[in-house]
């Protein structure tokens, strides 16, 4: 009569190593006490999800701050969903946001570290060694059910309103005689291999989660598939074997995996492997029509990390936003440590949200705007240039044509105690400053420029264009931009008063009909002439950057468009 060993040897005749051999090949890591070994284990099935970046960032930070190891493992056993090149693309996008592994998968042709291979598709011998052990001790078995049989099984369970799955009395091949199984295998019958669970769904297990605390979960009793018909392991089995032999100490992952935890714990215990600590992170949510839902790949552009790269959100702004999701005390720490690097902040499990974190794109923009405002113009220039080279080639060409000119534009009211805060992402910049470039300014319809002025919040007033012409002509006659901004504006006040554009706000408010407008309106005329729009950076600095000749050229081009016959 055949036994479990005979079955295991029939299925895996070429596997000669044992679990003890694997323990020696992949020994415990020699790290200081408290050092964490964490991982990010993406599947090469598409773009990098914002939630995945969040999870990987947290995993990476815990390893780095504890003096441990962060590695990347590619879980590529789902060949039907794999998208060529997406694994390498994920690595490149993670790198942009400083999620850089100490070891592991780096590309399809490169990995570093002593605990590999780091692609699951290349670890078949390791998985088969462990599965052979489970077969030999009677805790795994071949299942010969067809897809039709499994579909009928589910239908029966649904009709009886019973828990769906392959377990207990519904596990047809769970106690199938070894001799009969060997016969079917030798006859060439197709099969998969299942784990034999000893659990009962009527029982509860107690478990401590690093974020959620002490939990009670329903015990696993499902005989899950651990080896598919294509010879590749399932996620539930493969990741567990990998976490053990790669010596992961802390598994940080989304809370959607919490329901699968009883399966993983039973597998660990059955194999005699030490359980890693688990920290189930909040799922990133979005509010739609008053209801919360998961950030969706199909519905939300911001679900893809590529969205933030294409839009040009600075990495430091986006990372800091994710840190506010990660720990509730991050913002208070940042307010007290504005001069520090955000990586000086240490994450804490007990400061993590217990509920789904709401994604707030406006907050991403606000944090980015704050951080960009305090960047040196020369540093910001390099960031924008790097972004534009990939995502806006026309803008990039303008930058490199005269980098000093572009840097001066960025530096308008920048390096001061309270800098301007015009930009929340790199793609904001060109639309705001494009008028500086002659080809853009030349395309402006000068006859349609808006020279109306605001009387109050609701009313606007047309100013006689002859008056505007006289004001601008005399401005050019007395032009002096080499003085301080304060002196320049005082000179503008003198000119404005001469043409009844008062600097006395109270007088104007009391009797607007006595004046043509206010000093600010004259500055507005200059802004519209020189920039072609009403909203621009500080017009004093705009003129200093453009220079006298260019300023006069632009003012005159507008004045020529005035039809003073009407």
């Amino acid at each position: 009569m055949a036994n479990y060993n005979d079955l295991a040897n029939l299925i895996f005749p070429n596997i000669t190593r044992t679990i003890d051999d694997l323990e020696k090949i992949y020994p415990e890591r020699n790290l200081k006490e408290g050092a964490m070994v964490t991982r990010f284990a993406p599947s090469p099935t598409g773009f990098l999800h914002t939630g995945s970046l969040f999870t990987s960032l947290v995993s990476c930070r815990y390893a780095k701050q504890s003096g441990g190891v962060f590695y990347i493992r590619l879980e590529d056993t789902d060949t039907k969903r794999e998208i060529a090149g997406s694994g390498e693309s994920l690595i490149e996008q993670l790198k942009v946001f400083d999620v850089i592994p100490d070891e592991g998968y780096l590309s399809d042709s490169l990995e570093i570290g002593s605990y590999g291979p780091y692609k699951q598709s290349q670890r078949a011998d390791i998985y088969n060694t462990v599965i052979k052990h489970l077969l030999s001790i009677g805790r795994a078995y071949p299942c010969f059910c067809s897809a039709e049989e499994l579909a009928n099984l589910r239908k029966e369970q649904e009709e009886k309103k019973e828990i769906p799955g392959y377990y207990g009395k519904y596990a047809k091949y769970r106690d199938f005689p070894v001799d009969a199984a060997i016969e079917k295998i030798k006859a060439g019958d197709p099969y998969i291999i299942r784990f034999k669970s000893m659990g009962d769904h009527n029982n509860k297990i107690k478990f401590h989660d690093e974020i959620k605390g002490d939990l009670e979960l329903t015990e696993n009793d499902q005989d899950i598939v651990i080896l598919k018909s294509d010879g590749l392991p399932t996620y539930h089995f493969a990741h567990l074997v990998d976490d053990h032999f790669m010596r992961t100490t802390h598994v940080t992952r989304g809370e959607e995996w919490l329901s699968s935890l009883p399966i993983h714990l039973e597998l660990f215990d059955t194999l005699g492997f030490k359980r890693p600590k688990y920290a189930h992170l909040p799922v990133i949510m979005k509010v739609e029509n008053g209801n919360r839902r998961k950030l969706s790949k199909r519905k939300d552009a911001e679900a893809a990390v590529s969205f933030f790269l294409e839009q040009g959100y600075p990495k430091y702004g986006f990372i800091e936003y994710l840190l506010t999701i990660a720990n509730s005390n991050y913002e208070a720490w940042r307010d007290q440590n504005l001069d520090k690097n955000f990586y000086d902040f240490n994450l804490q499990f007990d400061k993590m949200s217990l509920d789904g974190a709401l994604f707030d794109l406006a907050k991403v923009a606000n944090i980015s705007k704050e951080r960009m405002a305090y960047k040196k113009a020369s540093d910001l220039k390099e960031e924008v240039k790097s972004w534009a080279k990939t995502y806006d080639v026309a803008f990039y060409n303008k930058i490199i044509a005269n980098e000093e000119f572009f840097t001066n534009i960025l530096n308008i009211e920048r390096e001061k105690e309270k800098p301007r805060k015009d930009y929340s992402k790199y793609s904001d910049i060109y639309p705001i400053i494009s008028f500086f470039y002659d080809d853009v300014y030349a395309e402006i319809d000068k006859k349609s420029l808006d020279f109306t002025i605001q009387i109050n919040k609701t009313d606007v007033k047309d100013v006689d264009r002859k008056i505007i012409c006289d004001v601008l002509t005399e401005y050019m006659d007395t032009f002096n931009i080499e003085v301080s901004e304060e002196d320049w504006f005082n000179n503008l006040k003198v000119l404005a008063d001469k043409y009844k554009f008062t600097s006395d706000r109270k007088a104007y408010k009391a009797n607007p009909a006595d004046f043509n407008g206010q000093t600010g309106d004259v500055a507005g005329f200059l802004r519209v002439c020189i920039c072609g729009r009403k909203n621009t950076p500080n017009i004093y600095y705009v003129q200093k950057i453009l220079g006298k000749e260019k300023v006069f050229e632009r003012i005159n081009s507008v004045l020529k468009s005035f039809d003073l016959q009407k």
Side-chain angles (χ1 to χ4, degrees):
M1 180 179 289
N3 58 32
Y4 292 135
N5 278 321
D6 296 326
L7 179 63
N9 286 323
L10 174 65
I11 294 174
F12 296 111
N14 298 321
I15 296 297
T16 58
R17 289 191 305 192
T18 66
I19 286 182
D20 286 341
D21 293 329
L22 294 176
E23 296 286 0
K24 293 171 185 175
I25 296 169
Y26 305 108
E28 292 283 352
R29 294 173 182 267
N30 184 21
L31 298 172
K32 68 178 184 180
E33 186 176 351
M36 297 183 186
V37 179
T38 64
R39 46 75 163 175
F40 177 54
S43 299
T45 55
F47 62 76
L48 180 61
H49 193 282
T50 298
S52 297
L53 175 61
F54 172 63
T55 302
S56 62
L57 176 67
V58 169
S59 297
C60 182
R61 291 313 312 155
Y62 271 113
K64 303 287 187 186
Q65 73 187 32
S66 67
V69 174
F70 170 68
Y71 70 89
I72 289 180
R73 179 175 73 230
L74 194 69
E75 299 193 337
D76 60 342
T77 59
D78 192 345
T79 54
K80 292 180 180 178
R81 296 177 59 229
E82 184 171 347
I83 297 173
S86 61
E88 292 182 329
S89 177
L90 291 172
I91 297 299
E92 289 303 311
Q93 291 185 8
L94 288 171
K95 187 177 179 181
V96 171
F97 292 99
D98 295 346
V99 180
I100 300 172
D102 300 298
E103 67 180 50
Y105 169 85
L106 299 180
S107 73
D108 289 341
S109 59
L110 178 65
E111 61 178 42
I112 57 173
S114 303
Y115 289 80
Y118 294 90
K119 290 178 69 175
Q120 288 187 332
S121 59
Q122 297 174 1
R123 295 174 62 80
D125 280 358
I126 297 172
Y127 304 133
N128 291 344
T129 297
V130 179
I131 294 173
K132 184 174 184 179
H133 169 75
L134 288 173
L135 285 165
S136 70
I137 63 172
R139 292 302 302 274
Y141 61 91
C143 173
F144 302 92
C145 281
S146 66
E148 183 181 0
E149 284 180 289
L150 293 174
N152 289 335
L153 173 62
R154 177 171 285 273
K155 184 179 179 181
E156 179 187 346
Q157 290 169 334
E158 289 173 352
E159 289 173 351
K160 293 181 177 179
K161 294 183 169 33
E162 295 201 24
I163 295 171
Y166 198 89
Y167 63 94
K169 64 181 180 180
Y170 292 114
K172 178 178 178 181
Y173 289 96
R174 177 183 173 92
D175 297 313
F176 198 59
V178 173
D179 285 329
I182 288 175
E183 263 187 59
K184 290 179 76 66
I185 292 171
K186 287 181 175 179
D189 289 5
Y191 64 93
I192 57 176
I193 295 180
R194 293 182 180 274
F195 170 67
K196 183 183 284 189
S197 172
M198 295 300 174
D200 183 338
H201 63 249
N202 294 307
N203 297 334
K204 298 287 185 181
I205 59 171
K206 292 183 178 180
F207 170 76
H208 179 79
D209 185 88
E210 297 300 298
I211 295 172
K212 298 182 176 300
D214 294 331
L215 301 174
E216 271 198 358
L217 303 171
T218 300
E219 194 172 69
N220 173 63
D221 62 0
Q222 297 281 339
D223 286 2
I224 64 161
V225 178
I226 57 177
L227 192 70
K228 297 177 289 184
S229 58
D230 59 6
L232 292 171
T234 58
Y235 164 79
H236 290 302
F237 178 75
H239 95 277
L240 176 134
V241 172
D242 294 339
D243 280 336
H244 176 70
F245 288 115
M246 292 178 182
R247 305 301 175 178
T248 308
T249 65
H250 291 72
V251 174
T252 53
R253 62 185 184 183
E255 64 184 2
E256 66 267 27
W257 291 107
L258 199 56
S259 60
S260 301
L261 188 61
I263 296 173
H264 306 154
L265 296 181
E266 186 181 6
L267 281 165
F268 270 112
D269 294 346
T270 299
L271 290 163
F273 293 167
K274 180 182 177 182
R275 297 177 179 180
K277 293 182 178 180
Y278 282 87
H280 288 87
L281 304 172
V283 174
I284 296 181
M285 311 285 283
K286 185 171 183 175
V287 173
E288 183 177 68
N289 300 323
N291 298 314
R292 288 189 174 207
R293 64 167 175 78
K294 286 177 63 175
L295 204 59
S296 166
K297 290 182 179 182
R298 291 184 296 103
K299 296 181 180 179
D300 308 310
E302 63 269 33
V305 169
S306 57
F307 167 81
F308 298 94
L309 297 176
E310 291 163 7
Q311 290 291 308
Y313 285 91
K315 74 171 185 181
Y316 42 83
F318 194 45
I319 290 171
E320 290 211 47
Y321 172 70
L322 294 178
L323 290 174
T324 68
I325 294 178
N327 266 192
S328 58
N329 60 330
Y330 177 79
E331 289 179 85
W333 175 88
R334 171 48 92 191
D335 289 342
Q336 298 298 316
N337 297 277
L338 291 173
D339 58 334
K340 290 189 177 181
N341 188 298
F342 47 79
Y343 288 143
D344 290 333
F345 175 81
N346 280 344
L347 292 174
Q348 298 170 262
F349 285 126
D350 62 0
K351 296 295 183 183
M352 288 194 167
S353 170
L354 295 178
D355 301 314
L358 287 178
F359 192 82
D360 188 343
L361 191 58
K363 191 169 182 178
V364 177
N366 186 59
I367 292 174
S368 297
K369 182 178 287 189
E370 285 289 325
R371 301 297 171 256
M372 286 176 75
Y374 288 93
K375 282 277 180 176
K376 287 186 177 180
S378 57
D379 293 338
L380 184 58
K381 181 259 294 184
E382 291 300 323
E383 293 176 17
V384 179
K385 185 172 73 169
S386 177
W387 170 81
K389 186 174 183 179
T390 301
Y391 298 105
D392 191 340
V393 176
F395 185 22
Y396 172 76
N397 288 334
K398 288 185 183 296
I399 294 171
I400 63 172
N402 190 335
E403 295 194 25
E404 182 181 2
F405 180 65
F406 180 62
T407 304
N408 288 338
I409 295 170
L410 290 179
N411 205 37
I412 292 175
E413 295 188 300
R414 173 167 296 275
E415 294 179 19
K416 52 193 293 190
E417 185 178 349
K418 292 185 177 181
R420 287 184 68 93
K421 298 174 182 176
D422 293 317
Y423 323 119
S424 59
K425 53 188 184 296
Y426 306 138
S427 60
D428 290 343
I429 296 175
Y430 184 65
I432 293 173
I433 60 99
S434 61
F435 68 84
F436 274 101
Y437 294 94
D438 292 340
D439 60 328
V440 176
Y441 183 81
E443 294 295 319
I444 295 171
D445 180 1
K446 310 302 187 296
K447 289 187 177 182
S448 66
L449 291 175
D450 182 6
F451 284 97
T452 57
I453 63 174
Q454 195 82 32
I455 297 176
N456 53 47
K457 290 183 178 180
T458 56
D459 299 326
V460 295
K461 172 183 176 182
D462 286 315
V463 179
D464 190 307
R465 292 209 167 191
K466 177 66 170 63
I467 295 173
I468 296 173
C469 182
D470 291 343
V471 170
L472 294 175
T473 299
E474 187 163 339
Y475 176 76
M476 288 189 288
D477 291 339
T478 58
F479 182 84
N480 184 2
I481 204 70
E482 301 306 318
V483 296
S484 68
E485 182 182 2
E486 183 179 2
D487 288 342
W488 172 81
F489 193 68
N490 286 333
N491 292 339
L492 192 68
K493 283 182 182 179
V494 173
L495 174 62
D497 280 331
K498 181 177 178 179
Y499 288 91
K500 297 183 69 175
F501 289 89
T502 182
S503 57
D504 188 338
R505 286 179 174 272
K506 289 183 179 179
Y508 181 75
K509 190 173 182 180
N511 298 292
D514 292 347
F515 304 95
N516 286 322
Q518 301 181 73
T519 304
D521 296 322
V522 174
F525 300 154
L526 281 172
R527 191 184 307 276
V528 172
C529 277
I530 297 168
C531 309
R533 62 182 71 162
K534 286 191 168 184
N535 296 314
T536 73
N538 186 306
I539 191 61
Y540 168 77
Y541 292 103
V542 169
Q543 294 175 91
K544 288 187 76 69
I545 292 170
L546 287 173
K548 179 179 179 179
E549 182 179 343
K550 192 77 69 180
V551 168
F552 281 21
E553 181 184 308
R554 292 189 175 192
I555 293 175
N556 281 321
S557 72
V558 174
L559 293 181
K560 286 177 183 178
S561 74
F562 285 180
D563 186 353
L564 299 179
Q565 300 300 315
K566 294 182 180 179

